[in-house]
Amino acid sequence: MNNTPRFLAVVPARGGSKGLPGKNIRPLAGRPLIAYTLDQAREVTELDRVVVSTDDADIRRVALEFGAEVIDRPAALATAEARTEGALLHALDVLEKDGAHFDYVVVLEPTSPFRSPALIRDSLKRIVAADARSLIGVRAIHEITGALDERGYFRPFVPGQARRRQERTPSYGEASTIYVCRVDHLRRTGSLTAEDWLAVEVPAGEAIDINTPDDFEYCEFLMERRATRA
C-alpha cells in the first residue's frame, strides 16, 4: 500500500481586483505575475498536481500559455467577498469527480513572486512530520505592535519590549506566501485555520506580497537589482 500523501496545489487567481486591476497577469520584469508562482510550483516534484482556479478568461489564457492546468471557477466564488476556501473546495470537487483524490491542499497565491521552491518543500515536509491539520506561513515583525484603546492610547500586545529593535522578541504576522491544509480538515470546517496552527517562518525576502502599484514598483526594483548582480 502506498502511504505517500498526495498534494494538490491551487493557485487562486480571480479576475477582479479593486486595489490593482489585472494584477495577477500584470507584467513584472517582462513576465505575467502569475508565471513566477507557476515556475515555483513546477520545481516541487512533491506536488502531485498544480491547478489555477480562475473566473477570468485572460488569466485562463495566460495560465494555459505557461503550461498550467486551469479550473474554471464559478462567478459566485470569485467576488471580492468570496473566501479562498470556497475556491479550494470547488477545485477539489471538480478533480474528485474525475477520480483524483488528495490528502493535502496547498495554497500558492500568485502575488508572491519571490517564494522559493525550497519553502514549499519544507512546508510539505513539516505538516506531514507534525501530523498537523493546517500550516501557515508567517513573517517576523520586529516593530512594536499593539492596538489603540477607546481614548486613542497605544497599547502594545507585548508590554515591556526593548526600545532597541535588535533586542526585541519578534512577533509574527501572517504571510500570504503559503498555506497547507489537510483536505479532511478543510471539508469538515470549511476553513484553512486551526486552533493549533502549525507555522513556518518565511524569510523576509520571500514574504513580499504584491497588492498595490507601489508593491509592483518595489518588486521591479528588486528584480532589476538582482539581474545586475547575477
Side-chain angles (χ1 to χ4, degrees), residues 179-196:
Y179 306 85
V180 186
C181 185
R182 274 196 346 222
V183 171
D184 59 356
H185 174 75
L186 177 63
R187 287 203 176 281
R188 185 174 65 254
T189 67
S191 176
L192 288 170
T193 65
E195 291 182 3
D196 51 347

Side-chain angles (χ1 to χ4, degrees), residues 63-114:
L64 291 172
E65 286 176 0
F66 281 86
E69 179 179 358
V70 176
I71 290 181
D72 296 315
R73 192 192 315 182
L77 298 178
T79 65
E81 297 75 26
R83 299 168 66 230
T84 300
E85 285 89 342
L88 303 179
L89 291 167
H90 172 259
L92 286 165
D93 288 344
V94 169
L95 295 174
E96 287 185 2
K97 285 181 180 178
D98 289 335
H101 296 274
F102 302 91
D103 302 291
Y104 295 88
V105 61
V106 183
V107 185
L108 301 175
E109 297 283 356
T111 50
S112 296
F114 296 110

Side-chain angles (χ1 to χ4, degrees), residues 5 11 24 34 37 40 53 61 70 91 98 102 108 111 125 133 141 153 157 166 169 173 199 202 219:
V11 181
N24 289 322
I34 196 173
T37 291
Q40 296 153 12
S53 168
R61 173 182 53 78
V70 176
D98 289 335
F102 302 91
L108 301 175
T111 50
K125 291 177 182 176
R133 293 177 291 176
I141 300 172
Y153 285 87
F157 292 138
Q166 300 90 327
T169 301
V202 180
C219 287

Side-chain angles (χ1 to χ4, degrees), residues 17-229:
S17 175
K18 295 180 180 179
L20 190 59
K23 69 177 179 181
N24 289 322
I25 55 174
R26 181 170 174 167
L28 175 66
R31 305 183 73 223
L33 177 58
I34 196 173
Y36 294 95
T37 291
L38 296 177
D39 285 350
Q40 296 153 12
R42 196 172 290 115
E43 290 190 37
V44 182
T45 57
E46 293 87 347
L47 295 174
D48 295 277
R49 204 152 168 185
V50 180
V51 301
V52 173
S53 168
T54 188
D55 64 313
D56 185 87
D58 289 330
I59 294 175
R60 187 182 200 281
R61 173 182 53 78
V62 171
L64 291 172
E65 286 176 0
F66 281 86
E69 179 179 358
V70 176
I71 290 181
D72 296 315
R73 192 192 315 182
L77 298 178
T79 65
E81 297 75 26
R83 299 168 66 230
T84 300
E85 285 89 342
L88 303 179
L89 291 167
H90 172 259
L92 286 165
D93 288 344
V94 169
L95 295 174
E96 287 185 2
K97 285 181 180 178
D98 289 335
H101 296 274
F102 302 91
D103 302 291
Y104 295 88
V105 61
V106 183
V107 185
L108 301 175
E109 297 283 356
T111 50
S112 296
F114 296 110
R115 177 200 300 109
S116 70
L119 174 70
I120 302 173
R121 292 192 194 96
D122 182 52
S123 299
L124 306 188
K125 291 177 182 176
R126 291 190 60 183
I127 193 170
V128 172
D131 193 26
R133 293 177 291 176
S134 188
L135 174 146
I136 180 175
V138 297
R139 55 186 175 82
I141 300 172
H142 293 275
E143 292 77 17
I144 297 176
T145 58
L148 299 181
D149 66 16
E150 65 279 0
R151 298 185 298 158
Y153 285 87
F154 180 69
R155 304 298 182 190
F157 292 138
V158 181
Q161 286 275 45
R163 278 297 307 136
R164 282 173 51 84
R165 185 178 185 276
Q166 300 90 327
E167 297 174 358
R168 294 175 191 157
T169 301
S171 56
Y172 293 88
E174 178 182 16
S176 298
T177 318
I178 189 166
Y179 306 85
V180 186
C181 185
R182 274 196 346 222
V183 171
D184 59 356
H185 174 75
L186 177 63
R187 287 203 176 281
R188 185 174 65 254
T189 67
S191 176
L192 288 170
T193 65
E195 291 182 3
D196 51 347
W197 214 350
L198 184 65
V200 59
E201 184 173 351
V202 180
E206 297 186 36
I208 300 170
D209 184 45
I210 294 180
N211 290 295
T212 68
D214 286 344
D215 293 337
F216 242 98
E217 290 184 14
Y218 179 54
C219 287
E220 288 270 12
F221 163 75
L222 289 178
M223 288 191 172
E224 289 174 3
R225 187 175 68 176
R226 293 182 182 186
T228 60
R229 292 178 175 179

